[in-house]
Amino acid sequence: MADFDIAIAGAGAVGMSCALWVQMRGHKVLLMDPEPPGSGTSYGNACTLATYACLPVNDPSVLTSLPQLMFSRDSPLSLSYAHALRNPRWMLSFLANCRAAPSRRIAGHLADLLAHADAGINPLIEAAGAQDLVVERGQLSVWSTGKAAKAAAAGLERRRALGVPWREVDPEEALEMEPGLHLPVKRAVHFHAARHLRDPLEFITRMHRAFADLGGTTLRAKAETVRASDTGVELQAGGQSLTAGHAVIASGAFSTQIKGAGTQKLPLGTERGYHVMYESEGHRVTRPVGWGEAGFYAVPHAKGLRLTGTVEIAALDAPANPRRLDYLVRKGAEMLGSLPDPDSDWLGYRPTMPDSLPVIGRSPQSDRVIHAFGHQHIGLTLGGITGRLVADLAEGRQPNVDLAPFAADRAFA
Ligand SMILES: Cc1cc2nc3c(=O)[nH]c(=O)nc-3n(C[C@H](O)[C@H](O)[C@H](O)COP(=O)(O)OP(=O)(O)OC[C@H]3O[C@@H](n4cnc5c(N)ncnc54)[C@H](O)[C@@H]3O)c2cc1C
């Protein structure tokens, strides 16, 4: 008999959600991570349950404005050329997916999955006793130039066509909703169905507590190798050899580093993102506010104001880029007026496939290995539904979401 029914590698928003879902269904579960639960990329994000975020970064506008995006000091996107040259497969595929047809197809698949996001996370919020961490004030998106407001129109209509609810807010009302804004608002939109978490780390910590209370086991170790057979998997982790009925690979941007899990050849990249925290400034906004052309959010986190976002295409092991932090500090003052020096800063690694779709499903090499990674900008939002789908797969049930678009062996362009 195997040591565990299900062994999960990674305790971020995705892995922790998988662990709690399968534990709630009564399985014997092992959760492995060398770091404390929720301390990776899931720690520092924009806290938003962003059910509206179905438009991928892969957008035709990236192709037309690439030079301007990359060479401007004020660009929310930056690219390490050395990294791009070392990773031509990811880079070329990412750009190919920016063409109109693939971009539209990706948005449709993301919208389909996002439509289940609340149903996936709500039972976890309840099981974790985390209702007090959830704030129902929506997300406000603002644009400060007429040109950017106009450019946003097509994307907003595409969202509406995909079933995402939003409401036009006139600039005066936007400033009433968020009086801390110092921008000349040209257009504002309220995604009223969105919610945010006061503190994602606290949410994951409480999920972990619920998991342990239900009998789940945690091992503070890295999963190194997986060997699958017809009857189960054998894992090497932290010098130990363990057996389980199924292994779940949910190690975010590091998911291709586990040997034998059918992930090593997948084109998983990372979109690095940053945050700066101002402990005494949490009152500046009352909900996540995204500044469209600047590519970041101001968020009221339980521990202060968090300015977070931007995209940096660079290596996982490259040092933090001080220019990216300087950008957030400068633009933050433009958005909200003068701010003190930040109290802390952070760099995280969005796990991103070149088509911006996550990998959720059984490994093409073995039904005993389940993949759950690559959630790019929306892993906090999609962790819950991913966990429920993984639980269905591990139990041999037919999930109620079509997983074909998220298969590891799909064509990435
Ligand atoms: C700036 C920024 C803002 C964001 N804002 C939002 C937002 O508002 N809403 C939203 O939904 N998403 C947001 N995201 C995206 C979201 O944070 C990620 O998609 C999500 O955190 C990914 O979760 P994960 O569990 O896959 O990865 P992680 O949180 O990185 O967790 C992976 C875990 O795996 C562990 N691990 C690594 N290797 C191994 C191994 N071999 N064995 C065992 N464990 C291992 C790591 O230690 C880590 O704990 C944002 C991201 C960034 C960077």
Side-chain angles (χ1 to χ4, degrees), residues 9-14 32-35 40-42 45-48 222-223 251-252 254 258 273-274 308-309 350 375-381:
V14 176
M32 297 166 285
D33 197 312
E35 305 297 335
T41 299
S42 301
N45 53 50
C47 310
T48 311
K222 210 171 179 173
S251 308
F254 306 90
I258 302 174
Y274 291 81
T308 181
R350 298 181 190 92
H375 294 73
Q376 39 101 355
H377 293 239
I378 44 177
L380 185 66
T381 311

PDB file of all heavy atoms in Angstrom, residues 9-14 32-35 40-42 45-48 222-223 251-252 254 258 273-274 308-309 350 375-381, ligand 1:
ATOM      1  N   ALA A   9       3.537  18.623  -4.939  1.00  0.00           N
ATOM      2  CA  ALA A   9       4.794  19.377  -4.880  1.00  0.00           C
ATOM      3  C   ALA A   9       4.495  20.850  -5.084  1.00  0.00           C
ATOM      4  O   ALA A   9       4.142  21.266  -6.186  1.00  0.00           O
ATOM      5  CB  ALA A   9       5.754  18.868  -5.961  1.00  0.00           C
ATOM      6  N   GLY A  10       4.596  21.631  -4.019  1.00  0.00           N
ATOM      7  CA  GLY A  10       4.371  23.082  -4.109  1.00  0.00           C
ATOM      8  C   GLY A  10       3.208  23.492  -3.231  1.00  0.00           C
ATOM      9  O   GLY A  10       2.119  22.909  -3.312  1.00  0.00           O
ATOM     10  N   ALA A  11       3.459  24.493  -2.361  1.00  0.00           N
ATOM     11  CA  ALA A  11       2.413  24.964  -1.437  1.00  0.00           C
ATOM     12  C   ALA A  11       2.138  26.445  -1.646  1.00  0.00           C
ATOM     13  O   ALA A  11       1.991  27.208  -0.696  1.00  0.00           O
ATOM     14  CB  ALA A  11       2.818  24.682   0.009  1.00  0.00           C
ATOM     15  N   GLY A  12       2.076  26.858  -2.929  1.00  0.00           N
ATOM     16  CA  GLY A  12       1.619  28.215  -3.238  1.00  0.00           C
ATOM     17  C   GLY A  12       0.094  28.213  -3.304  1.00  0.00           C
ATOM     18  O   GLY A  12      -0.569  27.261  -2.848  1.00  0.00           O
ATOM     19  N   ALA A  13      -0.461  29.279  -3.891  1.00  0.00           N
ATOM     20  CA  ALA A  13      -1.926  29.367  -3.995  1.00  0.00           C
ATOM     21  C   ALA A  13      -2.482  28.138  -4.711  1.00  0.00           C
ATOM     22  O   ALA A  13      -3.539  27.605  -4.338  1.00  0.00           O
ATOM     23  CB  ALA A  13      -2.321  30.636  -4.749  1.00  0.00           C
ATOM     24  N   VAL A  14      -1.759  27.659  -5.715  1.00  0.00           N
ATOM     25  CA  VAL A  14      -2.280  26.540  -6.512  1.00  0.00           C
ATOM     26  C   VAL A  14      -2.118  25.221  -5.767  1.00  0.00           C
ATOM     27  O   VAL A  14      -3.093  24.490  -5.556  1.00  0.00           O
ATOM     28  CB  VAL A  14      -1.590  26.507  -7.900  1.00  0.00           C
ATOM     29  CG1 VAL A  14      -2.044  25.292  -8.691  1.00  0.00           C
ATOM     30  CG2 VAL A  14      -1.887  27.795  -8.678  1.00  0.00           C
ATOM     31  N   MET A  32       4.385  18.854  -0.177  1.00  0.00           N
ATOM     32  CA  MET A  32       5.841  19.065  -0.069  1.00  0.00           C
ATOM     33  C   MET A  32       6.207  20.464  -0.546  1.00  0.00           C
ATOM     34  O   MET A  32       5.735  20.912  -1.598  1.00  0.00           O
ATOM     35  CB  MET A  32       6.587  18.070  -0.974  1.00  0.00           C
ATOM     36  CG  MET A  32       6.396  16.627  -0.599  1.00  0.00           C
ATOM     37  SD  MET A  32       6.967  15.550  -1.942  1.00  0.00           S
ATOM     38  CE  MET A  32       5.655  15.722  -3.112  1.00  0.00           C
ATOM     39  N   ASP A  33       7.055  21.137   0.199  1.00  0.00           N
ATOM     40  CA  ASP A  33       7.596  22.430  -0.237  1.00  0.00           C
ATOM     41  C   ASP A  33       8.791  22.737   0.656  1.00  0.00           C
ATOM     42  O   ASP A  33       8.698  22.596   1.876  1.00  0.00           O
ATOM     43  CB  ASP A  33       6.522  23.546  -0.104  1.00  0.00           C
ATOM     44  CG  ASP A  33       6.878  24.798  -0.922  1.00  0.00           C
ATOM     45  OD1 ASP A  33       8.035  25.260  -0.824  1.00  0.00           O
ATOM     46  OD2 ASP A  33       6.012  25.294  -1.647  1.00  0.00           O
ATOM     47  N   PRO A  34       9.902  23.173   0.069  1.00  0.00           N
ATOM     48  CA  PRO A  34      11.058  23.503   0.917  1.00  0.00           C
ATOM     49  C   PRO A  34      10.842  24.803   1.687  1.00  0.00           C
ATOM     50  O   PRO A  34      11.557  25.082   2.646  1.00  0.00           O
ATOM     51  CB  PRO A  34      12.204  23.644  -0.086  1.00  0.00           C
ATOM     52  CG  PRO A  34      11.558  23.958  -1.392  1.00  0.00           C
ATOM     53  CD  PRO A  34      10.203  23.307  -1.365  1.00  0.00           C
ATOM     54  N   GLU A  35       9.840  25.587   1.268  1.00  0.00           N
ATOM     55  CA  GLU A  35       9.591  26.900   1.890  1.00  0.00           C
ATOM     56  C   GLU A  35       8.228  26.867   2.595  1.00  0.00           C
ATOM     57  O   GLU A  35       7.385  26.024   2.299  1.00  0.00           O
ATOM     58  CB  GLU A  35       9.573  27.999   0.815  1.00  0.00           C
ATOM     59  CG  GLU A  35      10.818  28.073  -0.056  1.00  0.00           C
ATOM     60  CD  GLU A  35      12.065  28.404   0.739  1.00  0.00           C
ATOM     61  OE1 GLU A  35      11.939  29.026   1.811  1.00  0.00           O
ATOM     62  OE2 GLU A  35      13.158  28.013   0.289  1.00  0.00           O
ATOM     63  N   GLY A  40       5.985  31.989  -1.776  1.00  0.00           N
ATOM     64  CA  GLY A  40       6.551  32.224  -3.106  1.00  0.00           C
ATOM     65  C   GLY A  40       5.830  33.361  -3.803  1.00  0.00           C
ATOM     66  O   GLY A  40       5.485  34.381  -3.177  1.00  0.00           O
ATOM     67  N   THR A  41       5.543  33.180  -5.066  1.00  0.00           N
ATOM     68  CA  THR A  41       4.881  34.242  -5.842  1.00  0.00           C
ATOM     69  C   THR A  41       3.494  34.558  -5.287  1.00  0.00           C
ATOM     70  O   THR A  41       3.016  35.685  -5.393  1.00  0.00           O
ATOM     71  CB  THR A  41       4.823  33.806  -7.324  1.00  0.00           C
ATOM     72  OG1 THR A  41       6.171  33.634  -7.755  1.00  0.00           O
ATOM     73  CG2 THR A  41       4.146  34.826  -8.198  1.00  0.00           C
ATOM     74  N   SER A  42       2.893  33.576  -4.655  1.00  0.00           N
ATOM     75  CA  SER A  42       1.555  33.783  -4.098  1.00  0.00           C
ATOM     76  C   SER A  42       1.556  34.770  -2.930  1.00  0.00           C
ATOM     77  O   SER A  42       0.499  35.221  -2.501  1.00  0.00           O
ATOM     78  CB  SER A  42       0.969  32.441  -3.645  1.00  0.00           C
ATOM     79  OG  SER A  42       0.910  31.565  -4.745  1.00  0.00           O
ATOM     80  N   ASN A  45       1.461  39.212  -4.533  1.00  0.00           N
ATOM     81  CA  ASN A  45       0.685  39.658  -5.698  1.00  0.00           C
ATOM     82  C   ASN A  45      -0.278  40.797  -5.370  1.00  0.00           C
ATOM     83  O   ASN A  45      -0.249  41.366  -4.278  1.00  0.00           O
ATOM     84  CB  ASN A  45      -0.056  38.463  -6.305  1.00  0.00           C
ATOM     85  CG  ASN A  45      -0.871  37.759  -5.248  1.00  0.00           C
ATOM     86  OD1 ASN A  45      -1.623  38.395  -4.528  1.00  0.00           O
ATOM     87  ND2 ASN A  45      -0.694  36.449  -5.140  1.00  0.00           N
ATOM     88  N   ALA A  46      -1.162  41.073  -6.323  1.00  0.00           N
ATOM     89  CA  ALA A  46      -2.073  42.216  -6.188  1.00  0.00           C
ATOM     90  C   ALA A  46      -3.372  41.840  -5.460  1.00  0.00           C
ATOM     91  O   ALA A  46      -4.339  42.614  -5.475  1.00  0.00           O
ATOM     92  CB  ALA A  46      -2.380  42.812  -7.551  1.00  0.00           C
ATOM     93  N   CYS A  47      -3.407  40.680  -4.839  1.00  0.00           N
ATOM     94  CA  CYS A  47      -4.477  40.289  -3.890  1.00  0.00           C
ATOM     95  C   CYS A  47      -5.857  40.169  -4.527  1.00  0.00           C
ATOM     96  O   CYS A  47      -6.853  40.007  -3.799  1.00  0.00           O
ATOM     97  CB  CYS A  47      -4.590  41.297  -2.739  1.00  0.00           C
ATOM     98  SG  CYS A  47      -3.052  41.707  -1.929  1.00  0.00           S
ATOM     99  N   THR A  48      -5.964  40.246  -5.840  1.00  0.00           N
ATOM    100  CA  THR A  48      -7.267  40.384  -6.473  1.00  0.00           C
ATOM    101  C   THR A  48      -7.794  39.040  -6.981  1.00  0.00           C
ATOM    102  O   THR A  48      -7.072  38.313  -7.669  1.00  0.00           O
ATOM    103  CB  THR A  48      -7.170  41.379  -7.658  1.00  0.00           C
ATOM    104  OG1 THR A  48      -6.497  42.549  -7.197  1.00  0.00           O
ATOM    105  CG2 THR A  48      -8.546  41.750  -8.177  1.00  0.00           C
ATOM    106  N   LYS A 222      12.030  19.703  -0.953  1.00  0.00           N
ATOM    107  CA  LYS A 222      11.850  19.841  -2.395  1.00  0.00           C
ATOM    108  C   LYS A 222      11.550  18.467  -2.993  1.00  0.00           C
ATOM    109  O   LYS A 222      12.257  17.499  -2.671  1.00  0.00           O
ATOM    110  CB  LYS A 222      13.191  20.322  -2.937  1.00  0.00           C
ATOM    111  CG  LYS A 222      13.159  21.155  -4.133  1.00  0.00           C
ATOM    112  CD  LYS A 222      14.553  21.702  -4.366  1.00  0.00           C
ATOM    113  CE  LYS A 222      14.550  22.530  -5.606  1.00  0.00           C
ATOM    114  NZ  LYS A 222      15.814  23.215  -5.794  1.00  0.00           N
ATOM    115  N   ALA A 223      10.551  18.376  -3.856  1.00  0.00           N
ATOM    116  CA  ALA A 223      10.372  17.138  -4.617  1.00  0.00           C
ATOM    117  C   ALA A 223      11.437  17.133  -5.706  1.00  0.00           C
ATOM    118  O   ALA A 223      11.560  18.092  -6.462  1.00  0.00           O
ATOM    119  CB  ALA A 223       8.977  17.095  -5.230  1.00  0.00           C
ATOM    120  N   SER A 251       4.366  23.455  -8.667  1.00  0.00           N
ATOM    121  CA  SER A 251       5.520  24.198  -8.135  1.00  0.00           C
ATOM    122  C   SER A 251       5.731  25.510  -8.875  1.00  0.00           C
ATOM    123  O   SER A 251       6.864  26.014  -8.975  1.00  0.00           O
ATOM    124  CB  SER A 251       6.780  23.320  -8.222  1.00  0.00           C
ATOM    125  OG  SER A 251       6.542  22.066  -7.624  1.00  0.00           O
ATOM    126  N   GLY A 252       4.656  26.082  -9.400  1.00  0.00           N
ATOM    127  CA  GLY A 252       4.720  27.393 -10.045  1.00  0.00           C
ATOM    128  C   GLY A 252       5.803  27.425 -11.116  1.00  0.00           C
ATOM    129  O   GLY A 252       5.936  26.492 -11.927  1.00  0.00           O
ATOM    130  N   PHE A 254       8.752  26.846 -11.041  1.00  0.00           N
ATOM    131  CA  PHE A 254       9.829  25.858 -10.876  1.00  0.00           C
ATOM    132  C   PHE A 254       9.373  24.455 -11.277  1.00  0.00           C
ATOM    133  O   PHE A 254      10.076  23.470 -11.027  1.00  0.00           O
ATOM    134  CB  PHE A 254      10.304  25.874  -9.418  1.00  0.00           C
ATOM    135  CG  PHE A 254      10.702  27.248  -8.959  1.00  0.00           C
ATOM    136  CD1 PHE A 254       9.769  28.106  -8.384  1.00  0.00           C
ATOM    137  CD2 PHE A 254      11.995  27.712  -9.163  1.00  0.00           C
ATOM    138  CE1 PHE A 254      10.114  29.390  -7.997  1.00  0.00           C
ATOM    139  CE2 PHE A 254      12.351  28.999  -8.787  1.00  0.00           C
ATOM    140  CZ  PHE A 254      11.408  29.846  -8.202  1.00  0.00           C
ATOM    141  N   ILE A 258      11.444  19.437 -11.718  1.00  0.00           N
ATOM    142  CA  ILE A 258      11.257  18.128 -11.078  1.00  0.00           C
ATOM    143  C   ILE A 258      11.428  17.040 -12.134  1.00  0.00           C
ATOM    144  O   ILE A 258      10.729  17.033 -13.153  1.00  0.00           O
ATOM    145  CB  ILE A 258       9.864  18.052 -10.407  1.00  0.00           C
ATOM    146  CG1 ILE A 258       9.729  19.176  -9.368  1.00  0.00           C
ATOM    147  CG2 ILE A 258       9.638  16.683  -9.770  1.00  0.00           C
ATOM    148  CD1 ILE A 258       8.351  19.302  -8.750  1.00  0.00           C
ATOM    149  N   GLY A 273       7.456  39.994 -11.692  1.00  0.00           N
ATOM    150  CA  GLY A 273       6.692  41.178 -11.278  1.00  0.00           C
ATOM    151  C   GLY A 273       7.171  41.631  -9.914  1.00  0.00           C
ATOM    152  O   GLY A 273       7.760  40.839  -9.163  1.00  0.00           O
ATOM    153  N   TYR A 274       6.922  42.887  -9.599  1.00  0.00           N
ATOM    154  CA  TYR A 274       7.481  43.485  -8.382  1.00  0.00           C
ATOM    155  C   TYR A 274       6.387  44.093  -7.519  1.00  0.00           C
ATOM    156  O   TYR A 274       5.293  44.379  -7.990  1.00  0.00           O
ATOM    157  CB  TYR A 274       8.459  44.596  -8.765  1.00  0.00           C
ATOM    158  CG  TYR A 274       9.728  44.094  -9.425  1.00  0.00           C
ATOM    159  CD1 TYR A 274       9.751  43.761 -10.781  1.00  0.00           C
ATOM    160  CD2 TYR A 274      10.899  43.943  -8.690  1.00  0.00           C
ATOM    161  CE1 TYR A 274      10.916  43.298 -11.383  1.00  0.00           C
ATOM    162  CE2 TYR A 274      12.066  43.482  -9.294  1.00  0.00           C
ATOM    163  CZ  TYR A 274      12.066  43.160 -10.637  1.00  0.00           C
ATOM    164  OH  TYR A 274      13.221  42.700 -11.230  1.00  0.00           O
ATOM    165  N   THR A 308       1.883  47.219  -7.106  1.00  0.00           N
ATOM    166  CA  THR A 308       2.384  45.936  -7.614  1.00  0.00           C
ATOM    167  C   THR A 308       1.958  45.670  -9.055  1.00  0.00           C
ATOM    168  O   THR A 308       0.873  46.066  -9.457  1.00  0.00           O
ATOM    169  CB  THR A 308       1.910  44.786  -6.687  1.00  0.00           C
ATOM    170  OG1 THR A 308       2.427  43.548  -7.184  1.00  0.00           O
ATOM    171  CG2 THR A 308       0.391  44.688  -6.606  1.00  0.00           C
ATOM    172  N   GLY A 309       2.854  45.024  -9.783  1.00  0.00           N
ATOM    173  CA  GLY A 309       2.543  44.658 -11.161  1.00  0.00           C
ATOM    174  C   GLY A 309       3.794  44.745 -12.024  1.00  0.00           C
ATOM    175  O   GLY A 309       4.893  44.466 -11.568  1.00  0.00           O
ATOM    176  N   ARG A 350       5.810  35.033 -11.987  1.00  0.00           N
ATOM    177  CA  ARG A 350       4.577  34.450 -12.533  1.00  0.00           C
ATOM    178  C   ARG A 350       4.972  33.280 -13.428  1.00  0.00           C
ATOM    179  O   ARG A 350       5.806  33.436 -14.324  1.00  0.00           O
ATOM    180  CB  ARG A 350       3.838  35.482 -13.395  1.00  0.00           C
ATOM    181  CG  ARG A 350       3.375  36.727 -12.660  1.00  0.00           C
ATOM    182  CD  ARG A 350       2.645  37.631 -13.641  1.00  0.00           C
ATOM    183  NE  ARG A 350       2.355  38.939 -13.106  1.00  0.00           N
ATOM    184  CZ  ARG A 350       3.141  40.015 -13.230  1.00  0.00           C
ATOM    185  NH1 ARG A 350       4.289  39.929 -13.875  1.00  0.00           N
ATOM    186  NH2 ARG A 350       2.770  41.167 -12.728  1.00  0.00           N
ATOM    187  N   HIS A 375      -0.089  29.477 -14.145  1.00  0.00           N
ATOM    188  CA  HIS A 375      -1.287  30.325 -14.005  1.00  0.00           C
ATOM    189  C   HIS A 375      -1.015  31.809 -14.196  1.00  0.00           C
ATOM    190  O   HIS A 375      -1.856  32.649 -13.839  1.00  0.00           O
ATOM    191  CB  HIS A 375      -1.954  30.062 -12.651  1.00  0.00           C
ATOM    192  CG  HIS A 375      -2.522  28.692 -12.513  1.00  0.00           C
ATOM    193  ND1 HIS A 375      -1.742  27.572 -12.348  1.00  0.00           N
ATOM    194  CD2 HIS A 375      -3.798  28.251 -12.538  1.00  0.00           C
ATOM    195  CE1 HIS A 375      -2.515  26.502 -12.269  1.00  0.00           C
ATOM    196  NE2 HIS A 375      -3.773  26.883 -12.384  1.00  0.00           N
ATOM    197  N   GLN A 376       0.158  32.127 -14.689  1.00  0.00           N
ATOM    198  CA  GLN A 376       0.561  33.514 -15.035  1.00  0.00           C
ATOM    199  C   GLN A 376       0.009  34.573 -14.089  1.00  0.00           C
ATOM    200  O   GLN A 376       0.282  34.537 -12.900  1.00  0.00           O
ATOM    201  CB  GLN A 376       0.292  33.796 -16.533  1.00  0.00           C
ATOM    202  CG  GLN A 376      -0.991  33.216 -17.128  1.00  0.00           C
ATOM    203  CD  GLN A 376      -2.104  34.223 -17.265  1.00  0.00           C
ATOM    204  OE1 GLN A 376      -2.020  35.360 -16.862  1.00  0.00           O
ATOM    205  NE2 GLN A 376      -3.208  33.810 -17.875  1.00  0.00           N
ATOM    206  N   HIS A 377      -0.796  35.525 -14.580  1.00  0.00           N
ATOM    207  CA  HIS A 377      -1.218  36.681 -13.771  1.00  0.00           C
ATOM    208  C   HIS A 377      -2.397  36.372 -12.843  1.00  0.00           C
ATOM    209  O   HIS A 377      -2.815  37.248 -12.093  1.00  0.00           O
ATOM    210  CB  HIS A 377      -1.617  37.842 -14.690  1.00  0.00           C
ATOM    211  CG  HIS A 377      -0.477  38.412 -15.466  1.00  0.00           C
ATOM    212  ND1 HIS A 377      -0.089  39.737 -15.370  1.00  0.00           N
ATOM    213  CD2 HIS A 377       0.398  37.847 -16.341  1.00  0.00           C
ATOM    214  CE1 HIS A 377       0.943  39.960 -16.160  1.00  0.00           C
ATOM    215  NE2 HIS A 377       1.250  38.831 -16.768  1.00  0.00           N
ATOM    216  N   ILE A 378      -2.935  35.151 -12.904  1.00  0.00           N
ATOM    217  CA  ILE A 378      -4.206  34.925 -12.201  1.00  0.00           C
ATOM    218  C   ILE A 378      -4.223  33.638 -11.368  1.00  0.00           C
ATOM    219  O   ILE A 378      -5.264  33.016 -11.186  1.00  0.00           O
ATOM    220  CB  ILE A 378      -5.401  34.960 -13.204  1.00  0.00           C
ATOM    221  CG1 ILE A 378      -5.094  34.170 -14.478  1.00  0.00           C
ATOM    222  CG2 ILE A 378      -5.778  36.401 -13.513  1.00  0.00           C
ATOM    223  CD1 ILE A 378      -6.250  34.107 -15.473  1.00  0.00           C
ATOM    224  N   GLY A 379      -3.080  33.284 -10.808  1.00  0.00           N
ATOM    225  CA  GLY A 379      -3.008  32.047 -10.025  1.00  0.00           C
ATOM    226  C   GLY A 379      -3.730  32.121  -8.692  1.00  0.00           C
ATOM    227  O   GLY A 379      -4.221  31.105  -8.186  1.00  0.00           O
ATOM    228  N   LEU A 380      -3.795  33.322  -8.108  1.00  0.00           N
ATOM    229  CA  LEU A 380      -4.548  33.451  -6.854  1.00  0.00           C
ATOM    230  C   LEU A 380      -6.032  33.223  -7.140  1.00  0.00           C
ATOM    231  O   LEU A 380      -6.738  32.552  -6.388  1.00  0.00           O
ATOM    232  CB  LEU A 380      -4.315  34.856  -6.275  1.00  0.00           C
ATOM    233  CG  LEU A 380      -4.929  35.147  -4.918  1.00  0.00           C
ATOM    234  CD1 LEU A 380      -4.281  34.299  -3.830  1.00  0.00           C
ATOM    235  CD2 LEU A 380      -4.798  36.630  -4.572  1.00  0.00           C
ATOM    236  N   THR A 381      -6.480  33.764  -8.261  1.00  0.00           N
ATOM    237  CA  THR A 381      -7.886  33.643  -8.673  1.00  0.00           C
ATOM    238  C   THR A 381      -8.227  32.205  -9.054  1.00  0.00           C
ATOM    239  O   THR A 381      -9.311  31.715  -8.717  1.00  0.00           O
ATOM    240  CB  THR A 381      -8.137  34.557  -9.898  1.00  0.00           C
ATOM    241  OG1 THR A 381      -7.614  35.852  -9.611  1.00  0.00           O
ATOM    242  CG2 THR A 381      -9.601  34.639 -10.248  1.00  0.00           C
TER     243      THR A 381
HETATM  244  C1  LIG B   1       3.302  41.335  -9.232  1.00  0.00           C
HETATM  245  C2  LIG B   1       2.281  40.241  -9.317  1.00  0.00           C
HETATM  246  C3  LIG B   1       0.929  40.530  -9.132  1.00  0.00           C
HETATM  247  C4  LIG B   1      -0.022  39.514  -9.216  1.00  0.00           C
HETATM  248  N1  LIG B   1      -1.337  39.790  -8.948  1.00  0.00           N
HETATM  249  C5  LIG B   1      -2.261  38.795  -8.973  1.00  0.00           C
HETATM  250  C6  LIG B   1      -3.599  39.038  -8.616  1.00  0.00           C
HETATM  251  O1  LIG B   1      -3.972  40.131  -8.191  1.00  0.00           O
HETATM  252  N2  LIG B   1      -4.506  38.028  -8.724  1.00  0.00           N
HETATM  253  C7  LIG B   1      -4.135  36.777  -9.136  1.00  0.00           C
HETATM  254  O2  LIG B   1      -4.990  35.910  -9.256  1.00  0.00           O
HETATM  255  N3  LIG B   1      -2.846  36.498  -9.419  1.00  0.00           N
HETATM  256  C8  LIG B   1      -1.901  37.476  -9.344  1.00  0.00           C
HETATM  257  N4  LIG B   1      -0.604  37.215  -9.661  1.00  0.00           N
HETATM  258  C9  LIG B   1      -0.236  35.865 -10.103  1.00  0.00           C
HETATM  259  C10 LIG B   1      -0.174  34.887  -8.953  1.00  0.00           C
HETATM  260  O3  LIG B   1       0.531  35.449  -7.863  1.00  0.00           O
HETATM  261  C11 LIG B   1       0.512  33.605  -9.434  1.00  0.00           C
HETATM  262  O4  LIG B   1      -0.134  33.128 -10.594  1.00  0.00           O
HETATM  263  C12 LIG B   1       0.425  32.536  -8.345  1.00  0.00           C
HETATM  264  O5  LIG B   1       1.024  33.017  -7.168  1.00  0.00           O
HETATM  265  C13 LIG B   1       1.092  31.256  -8.778  1.00  0.00           C
HETATM  266  O6  LIG B   1       0.885  30.356  -7.719  1.00  0.00           O
HETATM  267  P1  LIG B   1       1.673  29.001  -7.679  1.00  0.00           P
HETATM  268  O7  LIG B   1       1.167  28.254  -6.502  1.00  0.00           O
HETATM  269  O8  LIG B   1       1.626  28.338  -9.012  1.00  0.00           O
HETATM  270  O9  LIG B   1       3.209  29.440  -7.481  1.00  0.00           O
HETATM  271  P2  LIG B   1       4.008  29.906  -6.185  1.00  0.00           P
HETATM  272  O10 LIG B   1       3.223  30.774  -5.306  1.00  0.00           O
HETATM  273  O11 LIG B   1       5.326  30.419  -6.659  1.00  0.00           O
HETATM  274  O12 LIG B   1       4.242  28.548  -5.393  1.00  0.00           O
HETATM  275  C14 LIG B   1       5.086  27.542  -5.890  1.00  0.00           C
HETATM  276  C15 LIG B   1       5.663  26.818  -4.691  1.00  0.00           C
HETATM  277  O13 LIG B   1       6.385  25.683  -5.148  1.00  0.00           O
HETATM  278  C16 LIG B   1       7.517  25.518  -4.335  1.00  0.00           C
HETATM  279  N5  LIG B   1       8.465  24.668  -5.037  1.00  0.00           N
HETATM  280  C17 LIG B   1       9.352  25.001  -6.019  1.00  0.00           C
HETATM  281  N6  LIG B   1      10.021  23.910  -6.417  1.00  0.00           N
HETATM  282  C18 LIG B   1       9.535  22.867  -5.682  1.00  0.00           C
HETATM  283  C19 LIG B   1       9.831  21.476  -5.654  1.00  0.00           C
HETATM  284  N7  LIG B   1      10.747  20.927  -6.466  1.00  0.00           N
HETATM  285  N8  LIG B   1       9.164  20.697  -4.758  1.00  0.00           N
HETATM  286  C20 LIG B   1       8.227  21.236  -3.932  1.00  0.00           C
HETATM  287  N9  LIG B   1       7.902  22.541  -3.936  1.00  0.00           N
HETATM  288  C21 LIG B   1       8.555  23.347  -4.797  1.00  0.00           C
HETATM  289  C22 LIG B   1       7.978  26.940  -4.050  1.00  0.00           C
HETATM  290  O14 LIG B   1       8.789  26.986  -2.889  1.00  0.00           O
HETATM  291  C23 LIG B   1       6.645  27.664  -3.896  1.00  0.00           C
HETATM  292  O15 LIG B   1       6.244  27.723  -2.538  1.00  0.00           O
HETATM  293  C24 LIG B   1       0.383  38.195  -9.546  1.00  0.00           C
HETATM  294  C25 LIG B   1       1.733  37.916  -9.706  1.00  0.00           C
HETATM  295  C26 LIG B   1       2.674  38.921  -9.584  1.00  0.00           C
HETATM  296  C27 LIG B   1       4.128  38.581  -9.726  1.00  0.00           C
END
